[in-house]
Amino acid sequence: MNLPMDFSADVAAARAAGSAIVALESTIITHGMPYPQNVETAQLVEREVRTHGATPATIAVMNGRLKIGLSDAELEDLAQASQVAKLSRADIAACIAHGGIGATTVAATMIAANLAGISVFATGGIGGVHKGAETSFDISADLGELARTPVTVVAAGAKAILDVPKTLEVLETQGVPVIAFGQDDFPAFWSRTSGLMAPLRMDSAAEIANAHLMRGVLGLSGGQLVANPIPKASEISAQSLAPLIAQATQEAAEQGVSGKGVTPFLLQRLFELTDGASLTANIALVLNNARLASEIACCLAKPAGND
Ligand code: PSU
Ligand code: MN
């Protein structure tokens, strides 16, 4: 059986030239943001990557093909399609096998990026350990993927809809390097700080790229999580969000939302409860992550001489 993978023309050219490529996920488009802001953001993010010297590769499953890089028309189709599956490690193969359409989460995007030889991936927030996980057992497959697939993921930390201390504990147990960029604190998505120290701190893209390469030299499986704080001007205070997160979490429990449905439900409710402010901040931080990821990818694409 062949690998049913298609590269966009841009990504194919970048691969041939050995130039920098940044993977981008698609669940953020289909399950993380409302239409039309989702397509607009996806296009802005791609532009940001190009401006910073790399080629964007937005990843999704369409017509049973693993797409590495989408055309504008494909992006629009995906953003407007109803019934797009949310794909993680557990269901990406089944979706491809039955010719389906699906958006890739952080976990599935890492799998696809690794198959495509792409080492750096930018997103908004990763999945993690949900509040109440001690009874629900809801721990995102993103954490296990970070432990096994060698891709450096740039995110804005973990959302306060998650249990951030437990998320950091699981990452440590799984041997995932968690690197705060330019500060000591682990950022909490909408806020620059979570009140918790990140295990590692790095201040330059080159340092992150070298750490990625060294993991390969040591034969360590798994990737790195780079936690890049949201720009100051776009921050939303943790205090103002806390009651809204509590409300959304309670509603999810009352309505029996579970499994894959939890994260999209909470994101949608927060968008409504903040009158869209959560989305504006989300867009700003994704762009910020796209910039840093592009810089890291450019460091990794440099010809030998890193030793
Ligand atoms: N967190 C966000 N925005 C998102 C997601 C998480 O702030 O769009 C998406 C990502 O695709 C992530 C997925 O990989 O949700 C995690 O879902 P789950 O918690 O079901 O593993
Ligand atoms: Mn989950």
Side-chain angles (χ1 to χ4, degrees):
M1 207 185 245
N2 290 326
L3 175 61
M5 183 158 72
D6 298 331
F7 296 98
S8 67
D10 283 3
V11 173
R15 275 164 53 90
S19 62
I21 304 175
V22 172
L24 301 165
E25 64 151 308
S26 46
T27 295
I28 192 174
I29 302 172
T30 55
H31 295 71
M33 292 185 183
Y35 185 83
Q37 288 97 331
N38 58 353
V39 205
E40 289 161 12
T41 304
Q43 281 162 349
L44 280 176
V45 172
E46 291 203 351
R47 204 169 311 147
E48 195 70 12
V49 169
R50 288 185 210 284
T51 307
H52 289 82
T55 300
T58 301
I59 292 175
V61 172
M62 300 184 85
N63 302 315
R65 310 280 306 174
L66 187 52
K67 299 290 215 178
I68 312 293
L70 300 181
S71 67
D72 287 346
E74 287 169 332
L75 199 62
E76 186 71 36
D77 284 351
L78 184 76
Q80 293 220 44
S82 53
Q83 310 287 327
V84 179
K86 175 182 162 191
L87 302 177
S88 189
R89 168 172 282 266
D91 31 32
I92 186 169
C95 181
I96 295 172
H98 76 64
I101 179 165
T104 51
T105 59
V106 168
T109 306
M110 289 179 77
I111 293 170
N114 188 44
L115 285 169
I118 302 172
S119 307
V120 186
F121 161 23
T123 185
I126 57 156
V129 181
H130 278 266
K131 292 181 197 289
E134 58 276 26
T135 51
S136 69
F137 280 40
D138 189 349
I139 302 177
S140 175
D142 292 352
L143 302 184
E145 206 58 50
L146 280 160
R148 67 211 289 182
T149 302
V151 173
T152 287
V153 179
V154 182
K159 274 212 168 92
I161 61 171
L162 299 171
D163 186 320
V164 178
K166 286 194 181 71
T167 300
L168 286 172
E169 287 293 348
V170 170
L171 287 165
E172 188 196 4
T173 303
Q174 298 281 324
V176 177
V178 176
I179 304 160
F181 184 67
Q183 65 180 32
D184 296 326
D185 253 65
F186 183 69
F189 199 82
W190 291 296
S191 318
R192 288 174 65 82
T193 149
S194 62
L196 299 164
M197 285 271 282
L200 296 166
R201 170 189 175 149
M202 292 184 194
D203 293 318
S204 71
E207 219 181 324
I208 297 166
N210 282 331
H212 177 102
L213 292 172
M214 188 55 73
R215 288 183 61 85
V217 169
L218 295 178
L220 296 174
S221 59
Q224 308 189 105
L225 175 61
V226 178
N228 187 26
I230 185 172
K232 268 201 185 71
S234 307
E235 212 178 357
I236 308 181
S237 80
Q239 299 96 295
S240 66
L241 285 172
L244 307 180
I245 290 170
Q247 181 183 339
T249 307
Q250 193 190 333
E251 287 173 5
E254 284 165 3
Q255 295 176 35
V257 182
S258 67
K260 286 175 172 303
V262 175
T263 298
F265 177 91
L266 295 176
L267 297 181
Q268 174 61 26
R269 280 305 282 141
L270 278 163
F271 169 70
E272 293 158 4
L273 293 169
T274 61
D275 293 321
S278 69
L279 179 60
T280 310
N282 201 342
I283 295 169
L285 65 84
V286 179
L287 290 171
N288 193 45
N289 295 342
R291 274 191 292 279
L292 178 56
S294 303
E295 289 167 13
I296 298 166
C298 287
C299 292
L300 287 172
K302 273 190 196 133
N306 270 316
D307 52 349

